[in-house]
Amino acid sequence: MKHRHTQSSLALIAAASLLGLSPQAMAKDLHVAYAGSMGAVMDLHLGPAFAKAHNVQYQGEGQGAYGLAQLIAAHKLRTDVFVSITPGPIEVLIKAGLVKAAYPVASTAMCIAYSPDSPYAKDFKEAAEGKVPWYEILQKPGVVFGRTDPKTDPQGQNIVFTFMLAEKYYHQPDLVHKILGPVENPQQIFTETSLLSRLKSGQMAASSGYLSAVKSLHLPYITLPDQINLSNPAMVKGWYSKVHFTLNVNGKPKTVHTQPLVFYAAVPVDAPDPKLGMAFIHFMTSPQGQAMFKETGYNPPKGDLLK
């Protein structure tokens, strides 16, 4: 068996030589762990384009960013690049000594996505046009709303913050309880990678969403004002910071605070190929990479280097 494996390896190397590829280039893989909402831009655009230009194999993994950060911190996941939404998951790795710097690569905003096939699609369309308040449609009997787990996914926290800010902005007491129920409501919570696909298939009437991901999937949506969509870093101190809530994490209470919706990319110190990882970050911030972000619904990066 060992001899057969050796023969196969030699055959692959020989084939690579005929194609003008070195065995080292043929063997390289780029591993990217990213916030689950980024699946379309990473797996269909940035990853394949970089792989083609650098003659490497792209391997992407999307999950809730906090969950990925915890796997990396526990040395259960090794990746060349980690791309997070909000600074929080990056800060987990900075504190663990696994990240030295993180670079802003894109930004987005919270929105309400809705299913075009739901019985309430017409109502949500009117809300999107500003004819009726969006939060009134979400309170209609029978409307199923979806979101992600606030324990493992920043989006799960951000939609709660959005509703808490909406209470203040629209002067609507108890809006969080009326639409979301408890913060950790299993009837509404789905994985980030499945949330919008479930919405698209009509399994729910509406869901939380990042504008970038919603646009990538060509779903209809309701735009929210800066005062509640968490997109404006300038509003963090004077407005967004007015809301916070507590989660039960591993049996201990943890208070979470708002953070601007900026995507940060970092190369962990134990990355299998740190040079390749940094090259991918440079690609994401290049004109070509930024054009791909823009085409799939993302806004330009905001904020400063994290370290």
Side-chain angles (χ1 to χ4, degrees):
M1 180 66 70
K2 182 178 179 181
H3 176 67
R4 184 181 300 172
H5 177 74
T6 302
Q7 284 184 325
S8 299
S9 299
L10 290 172
L12 286 171
I13 292 170
S17 299
L18 290 172
L19 293 171
L21 306 177
S22 70
Q24 290 79 11
M26 181 186 68
K28 276 190 176 181
D29 285 338
L30 170 71
H31 298 275
V32 181
Y34 57 80
S37 67
M38 303 182 77
V41 70
M42 283 294 178
D43 294 345
L44 301 179
H45 299 276
L46 290 166
F50 180 86
K52 183 177 180 180
H54 291 261
N55 196 28
V56 297
Q57 295 291 321
Y58 164 76
Q59 302 289 335
E61 179 173 355
Q63 291 185 33
Y66 275 111
L68 286 171
Q70 290 161 6
L71 289 173
I72 295 169
H75 302 284
K76 294 180 179 178
L77 173 65
R78 291 186 66 202
T79 185
D80 296 312
V81 182
F82 172 49
V83 189
S84 164
I85 175 70
T86 75
I90 295 289
E91 289 166 352
V92 170
L93 298 180
I94 290 175
K95 289 178 182 177
L98 288 171
V99 161
K100 293 181 179 178
Y103 304 82
V105 296
S107 63
T108 191
M110 291 302 296
C111 69
I112 303 297
Y114 64 92
S115 170
D117 300 320
S118 130
Y120 307 92
K122 184 179 178 181
D123 298 314
F124 282 116
K125 186 174 185 295
E126 289 183 348
E129 294 168 351
K131 296 177 180 178
V132 294
W134 57 269
Y135 50 85
E136 289 186 0
I137 309 303
L138 287 174
Q139 294 178 65
K140 285 194 170 189
V143 170
V144 177
F145 184 74
R147 53 192 174 101
T148 62
D149 189 346
K151 287 184 179 180
T152 61
D153 182 36
Q155 187 185 152
Q157 296 179 11
N158 291 328
I159 191 60
V160 178
F161 290 136
T162 290
F163 277 85
M164 293 177 80
L165 289 167
E167 281 189 353
K168 297 177 178 293
Y169 183 66
Y170 296 112
H171 306 290
Q172 294 289 321
D174 298 324
L175 195 62
V176 174
H177 178 74
K178 288 177 181 176
I179 298 175
L180 302 184
V183 169
E184 299 175 51
N185 183 352
Q187 293 184 339
Q188 291 186 342
I189 291 174
F190 302 91
T191 64
E192 186 175 24
T193 50
S194 73
L195 181 65
L196 293 182
S197 60
R198 287 175 181 271
L199 177 69
K200 198 167 187 176
S201 67
Q203 296 180 45
M204 59 189 74
S207 77
S208 68
Y210 292 135
L211 192 56
S212 48
V214 171
K215 284 184 174 180
S216 295
L217 292 174
H218 308 291
L219 284 163
Y221 60 90
I222 298 167
T223 302
L224 303 175
D226 275 12
Q227 287 83 352
I228 67 174
N229 71 14
L230 303 174
S231 71
N232 191 341
M235 288 187 172
V236 173
K237 188 174 181 181
W239 177 247
Y240 295 163
S241 62
K242 292 181 181 292
V243 298
H244 57 81
F245 62 93
T246 302
L247 289 167
N248 187 334
V249 181
N250 297 325
K252 297 179 181 179
K254 178 184 178 182
T255 301
V256 292
H257 302 269
T258 55
Q259 293 184 322
L261 298 184
V262 178
F263 294 89
Y264 291 91
V267 175
V269 298
D270 64 347
D273 194 331
K275 288 184 179 179
L276 193 61
M278 187 55 66
F280 185 63
I281 292 178
H282 288 320
F283 177 71
M284 285 191 285
T285 58
S286 72
Q288 184 183 359
Q290 287 296 298
M292 290 180 183
F293 274 121
K294 184 177 180 180
E295 288 166 6
T296 48
Y298 291 77
N299 296 326
K302 301 175 183 178
D304 302 316
L305 178 75
L306 292 178
K307 57 182 181 178

